[in-house]
């Protein structure tokens, strides 16, 4: 059976050996890439460069206005670190983030926001991030975005802002004449990396850390001169634990990045990127669940004991997929995992969202047809030249996985595949194009 699968796979992948497979000679259809101003009406009063957003779509996807079919896509919105309005500054491996998330079928978006000028504090930037979320929701139909599946990914100062957007007031005004202002400013999910979660653990002695915190939180006041009450009230852990202060009725599920090797002690911390900050937020989450009884939030949240990209890449991607699958139903295909060289290798094909013990088939082909797949007359569409790449039974986590060996002569081919649940005749929510070109797949 294994050899039969490989033989079938070869009919799709081996472009050089099988010139008749025209699809293999065709480059991947490019997804749309655009830059827009999310505050064109200048509501924030910021310079235009401070309210830019870069949108990168998955292959063959894009805005309806550009001729792409209507297919609302989930969003992976990155809020970078640093007090600057230059796109990509403070975000590690921008290209890797975009490639990973567009490969998952999400629209990768990175935004600028107004910088904190002397005399201002973080609220200036926070209002920008809120406005960006509202703009994306208000324009979701034309941008082909799913307004209920916005994952906010943050780092450093972006994490402090992400906590503010997630825990503090939702600035939606249902009666506003501005359609953007009517939308919720709260993301649906938050993946928070190395950022300030509490001001209570920092050493109060003067230092680079206190200068940064003073600029962001207490303009005109030395951090060491702030009161314990002031520091507590500006701590995201406090915001999380006191939803009544902000009218918060919904708390986004979170992935919290920690680093258990930090070696810091609360009260003597001098590193604004300490792994202790992740632990503090995780403890606050547990306290909130105990206080509120919201066990569902805890089950839908998680933590990762790693610090930097790309170490956190796969855990964030897997958590995002799990949330999409479990919260919205249906199968989702993950990017294949495996190390390929010029000599080939093994690719692991993965799908999430299947029922425990159910069979999942991975089917490939060279084009999409309106005809239903064999054995599933109720399913919508199928591959024009279907090939069964493998099948597996889903585990308790809803994931099914098969390994496919790629031979040397198959390198460089293009494969499109989707997952199918034969018991329900349900296709995965989207297909995944894969360019087999080298080790970075």
């Amino acid at each position: 059976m294994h050899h039969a699968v490989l033989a079938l796979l070869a009919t799709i992948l081996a472009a050089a050996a099988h010139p008749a497979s025209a699809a293999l000679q065709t480059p991947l259809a490019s997804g749309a890439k655009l830059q827009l101003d999310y505050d064109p009406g200048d509501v924030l009063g910021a310079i235009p460069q401070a309210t830019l957003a870069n949108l990168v779509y998955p292959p063959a996807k894009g805005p309806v206005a550009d001729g792409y079919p209507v297919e609302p896509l989930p969003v992976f919105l990155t809020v970078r670190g640093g007090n600057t309005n230059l796109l990509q500054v403070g975000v590690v491996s921008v290209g890797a983030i975009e490639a990973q998330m567009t490969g998952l079928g999400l629209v990768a978006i990175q935004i600028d926001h107004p910088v904190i000028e002397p005399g201002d504090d973080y609220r200036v930037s926070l209002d920008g991030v809120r406005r960006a979320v509202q703009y994306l929701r208000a324009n979701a139909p034309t941008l082909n975005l799913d307004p209920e599946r916005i994952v906010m990914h943050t780092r450093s100062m972006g994490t402090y802002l992400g906590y503010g957007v997630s825990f503090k007031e939702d600035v939606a005004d249902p009666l506003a004449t501005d359609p953007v202002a009517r939308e919720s400013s709260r993301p649906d999910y938050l993946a928070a990396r190395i950022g300030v979660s509490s001001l209570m653990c920092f050493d109060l002695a003067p230092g680079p850390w206190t200068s940064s915190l003073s600029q962001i939180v207490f303009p005109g006041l030395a951090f060491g001169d702030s009161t314990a009450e002031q520091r507590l009230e500006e701590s995201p852990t406090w915001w999380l634990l006191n939803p009544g202060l902000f009218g918060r009725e919904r708390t986004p599920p979170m992935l919290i990045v920690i680093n258990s090797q930090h070696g810091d002690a609360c009260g003597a911390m001098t590193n604004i990127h300490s792994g202790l900050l992740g632990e503090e937020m995780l403890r606050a989450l547990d306290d909130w669940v105990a206080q509120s009884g919201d066990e569902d939030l805890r089950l839908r949240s998680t933590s990762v004991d790693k610090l930097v990209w790309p170490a956190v890449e796969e855990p964030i991607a897997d958590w995002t997929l799990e949330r999409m699958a479990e919260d919205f139903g249906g199968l989702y295909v993950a990017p294949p995992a495996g190390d390929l060289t010029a000599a080939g290798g093994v690719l692991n094909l993965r799908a999430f969202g299947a029922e425990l013990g159910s069979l999942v088939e991975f089917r490939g082909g060279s084009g999409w047809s309106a005809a239903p797949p064999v054995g599933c007359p109720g399913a919508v569409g199928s591959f024009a030249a279907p090939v069964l790449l493998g099948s597996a039974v889903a585990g308790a986590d809803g994931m099914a996985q098969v390994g496919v060996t790629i031979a040397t002569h198959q390198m460089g081919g293009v494969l499109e595949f989707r997952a199918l649940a034969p018991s329900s005749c349900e296709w995965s929510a989207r297909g995944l194009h894969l360019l087999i070109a080298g080790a970075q797949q």
Side-chain angles (χ1 to χ4, degrees):
M1 180 62 182
H2 181 66
H3 293 293
V5 170
L6 294 184
L8 290 171
L9 179 65
T11 66
I12 296 178
L13 295 178
H18 303 277
S21 300
L24 295 179
Q25 309 294 337
T26 304
L28 289 174
S30 298
K33 294 184 179 181
L34 62 146
Q35 185 174 91
L36 54 79
D37 182 353
Y38 63 78
D39 187 29
D42 198 23
V43 172
L44 299 173
I47 61 173
Q49 292 88 340
T51 54
L52 294 178
N54 282 350
L55 286 73
V56 181
Y57 287 77
K61 310 296 181 185
V64 175
D66 292 341
Y68 292 91
V70 176
E71 184 180 355
L73 300 168
V75 171
F76 193 80
L77 173 63
T78 294
V79 184
R80 45 90 183 127
N83 184 33
T84 176
N85 61 11
L86 298 177
L87 275 172
Q88 304 184 355
V89 171
V91 178
V92 179
S93 303
V94 171
I97 294 172
E98 290 178 351
Q100 176 78 349
M101 293 307 158
T102 55
L104 291 174
L106 286 79
V107 181
I109 301 178
Q110 297 189 52
I111 63 169
D112 280 337
H113 51 70
V115 298
I116 303 169
E117 303 288 355
D120 293 331
D121 66 13
Y122 71 92
R123 291 169 180 82
V124 170
S125 300
L126 181 61
D127 286 343
V129 178
R130 284 168 167 161
R131 185 72 179 180
V133 174
Q134 291 180 300
Y135 178 92
L136 295 174
R137 285 202 168 104
N139 291 275
T142 54
L143 292 175
N144 245 346
L145 307 178
D146 187 333
E148 296 183 356
R149 289 191 283 180
I150 296 180
V151 181
M152 182 171 286
H153 162 243
T154 63
R155 177 187 179 276
S156 192
M157 178 178 163
T159 291
Y160 190 71
L161 300 175
Y163 286 143
V165 172
S166 298
F167 304 153
K168 300 191 80 175
E169 297 88 352
D170 188 330
V171 297
D173 180 0
L175 301 180
T177 56
D178 175 7
V180 173
R182 298 175 200 148
E183 299 291 338
S184 170
S185 60
R186 202 177 306 287
D188 300 294
Y189 307 91
L190 176 65
R193 296 169 51 205
I194 57 171
V196 172
S197 63
S198 172
L199 301 181
M200 305 304 291
C201 288
F202 285 97
D203 189 327
L204 299 181
W209 63 95
T210 56
S211 296
S212 297
L213 295 171
S214 293
Q215 179 188 16
I216 294 171
V217 184
F218 302 124
L221 178 67
F223 186 78
D225 292 337
S226 62
T227 66
E229 182 180 7
Q230 286 176 312
R231 295 192 297 276
L232 179 64
E233 291 179 350
E234 297 295 3
S235 293
T237 49
W238 175 256
W239 304 340
L240 172 63
L241 291 168
N242 292 275
L245 296 177
F246 311 107
R248 190 180 77 241
E249 298 179 353
R250 175 179 64 86
T251 303
M254 291 177 280
L255 179 147
I256 302 168
V257 176
I258 65 174
N259 177 16
S260 59
Q261 305 301 312
H262 56 77
D264 290 320
C266 191
M269 185 172 61
T270 61
N271 180 5
I272 60 173
H273 295 147
S274 172
L276 176 61
L277 292 164
E279 293 180 357
E280 287 294 303
M281 181 53 71
L282 192 60
R283 276 192 285 270
L285 175 61
D286 288 335
D287 289 344
W288 166 243
V289 170
Q291 171 184 321
S292 66
D294 191 356
E295 293 291 343
D296 182 65
L297 175 63
R298 191 64 185 89
L299 290 172
R300 296 165 69 204
S301 299
T302 190
S303 62
V304 176
D305 191 3
K306 296 179 181 179
L307 195 59
V308 298
W309 203 276
V312 296
E313 177 179 354
E314 186 170 341
I316 290 177
D318 285 350
W319 178 76
T320 299
L321 281 175
E322 289 167 6
R323 293 280 51 82
M324 299 297 101
E326 293 179 15
D327 294 352
F328 292 89
L331 292 173
Y332 281 80
V333 176
D339 292 325
L340 297 182
T341 67
V346 176
L347 284 179
N348 294 314
L349 310 186
R350 302 176 295 162
F352 290 83
E355 294 290 333
L356 169 64
S358 65
L359 183 69
V360 176
E361 296 180 352
F362 293 84
R363 299 191 182 192
S366 57
W368 194 248
S369 165
V374 175
C376 282
V380 179
S382 64
F383 286 107
V387 174
L388 177 63
L389 303 176
S391 60
V393 174
D397 59 358
M399 186 181 78
Q401 176 174 289
V402 299
V404 178
T405 300
I406 307 299
T408 303
H409 70 278
Q410 296 169 335
M411 295 298 296
V414 176
L415 169 68
E416 182 180 0
F417 69 93
R418 298 180 80 172
L420 176 72
S423 61
S424 62
C425 290
E426 175 190 11
W427 282 110
S428 54
R430 57 180 171 74
L432 185 75
H433 287 81
L434 169 66
L435 175 64
I436 300 177
Q440 304 302 317
Q441 300 294 326

